[in-house]
Amino acid sequence: MYSKKVMERFQNPRNAGTLQGANAVGQVGNATCGDIMKMYLKINDNGIVEDAKFRTFGCCAAIASTDIACDLIKGKTIEDALKISNKDVVDMLGELPPHKIHCSVLAEESIRAAIEDYYKRLEKASKDALKKTRKKPTK
Ligand code: FES
C-alpha cells in the first residue's frame, strides 16, 4: 500500500514529460522488472541544474520517486545533484513499501546517467572547438 504522498505524486507528477533544450539526457532500466526511466536536464553554464523532467515506462513508485528527485535537483550544482541518493528521495516521499525501494534507485541512477551524458557532450564540444583551431600545415 502506498502513502498519500506517493499516490499524489504518482497521479499528479509536476515534472513528467520531455524538456525542450535539454543538454543532458540519461536513460536507465531495471533488469528485474523491465521498467525504464529517462531523465532530461537543462544545465546552465555555471553548472546549475535549471530544470529537470522525466519520462518513464515504470511503476507508481518509480514515477513518484523520480518526480520528487527532479524537484530535489533543480537549482543545485552538478556536484550536489550527484549527491542525491535514493534514500533522500524516499525520505522526501515519507516512505515506500520495502519491496518498492528499488524503484527509487531508478531516480538516482537516471540523474547520474544524464550528468554523464552532459560531461560527454562537454568533452565532445571541447574536442570540436580544438579541431577548428587546428591549422593546415604550410608548405
Ligand atoms: Fe520496476 Fe518499480 S517495479 S521500477
Side-chain angles (χ1 to χ4, degrees):
M1 188 70 176
Y2 291 116
S3 69
K4 228 174 148 178
K5 190 164 185 180
V6 172
M7 287 308 295
E8 197 280 320
R9 278 287 178 160
F10 165 60
Q11 290 170 334
N12 303 297
R14 283 83 158 155
N15 303 299
T18 56
L19 183 59
Q20 281 279 330
N23 56 359
V25 181
Q27 181 172 308
V28 293
N30 182 309
T32 309
C33 65
D35 288 352
I36 293 169
M37 183 64 65
K38 194 165 186 176
M39 176 69 73
Y40 302 85
L41 304 178
K42 197 182 285 185
I43 299 171
N44 70 19
D45 292 342
N46 296 320
I48 307 288
V49 179
E50 284 187 347
D51 205 357
K53 292 212 179 281
F54 72 95
R55 293 192 70 190
T56 188
F57 181 78
C59 70
C60 170
I63 291 169
S65 296
T66 309
D67 197 49
I68 285 274
C70 287
D71 282 352
L72 280 173
I73 63 172
K74 284 184 207 173
K76 288 206 165 38
T77 62
I78 292 171
E79 291 76 18
D80 286 342
L82 285 170
K83 290 177 190 161
I84 302 288
S85 70
N86 77 303
K87 187 185 177 315
D88 298 322
V89 169
V90 174
D91 287 348
M92 280 292 287
L93 280 172
E95 62 178 323
L96 272 180
H99 69 286
K100 286 292 189 175
I101 294 292
H102 77 275
C103 310
S104 63
V105 174
L106 276 185
E108 178 186 330
E109 290 179 344
S110 65
I111 292 169
R112 182 165 291 277
I115 291 175
E116 281 174 9
D117 176 58
Y118 176 74
Y119 281 129
K120 279 182 196 160
R121 290 181 194 214
L122 275 186
E123 188 181 337
K124 186 181 178 320
S126 298
K127 283 181 182 170
D128 290 349
L130 200 59
K131 271 185 201 166
K132 283 182 185 169
T133 64
R134 199 170 287 152
K135 292 183 177 135
K136 289 184 181 169
T138 50
K139 293 180 186 176

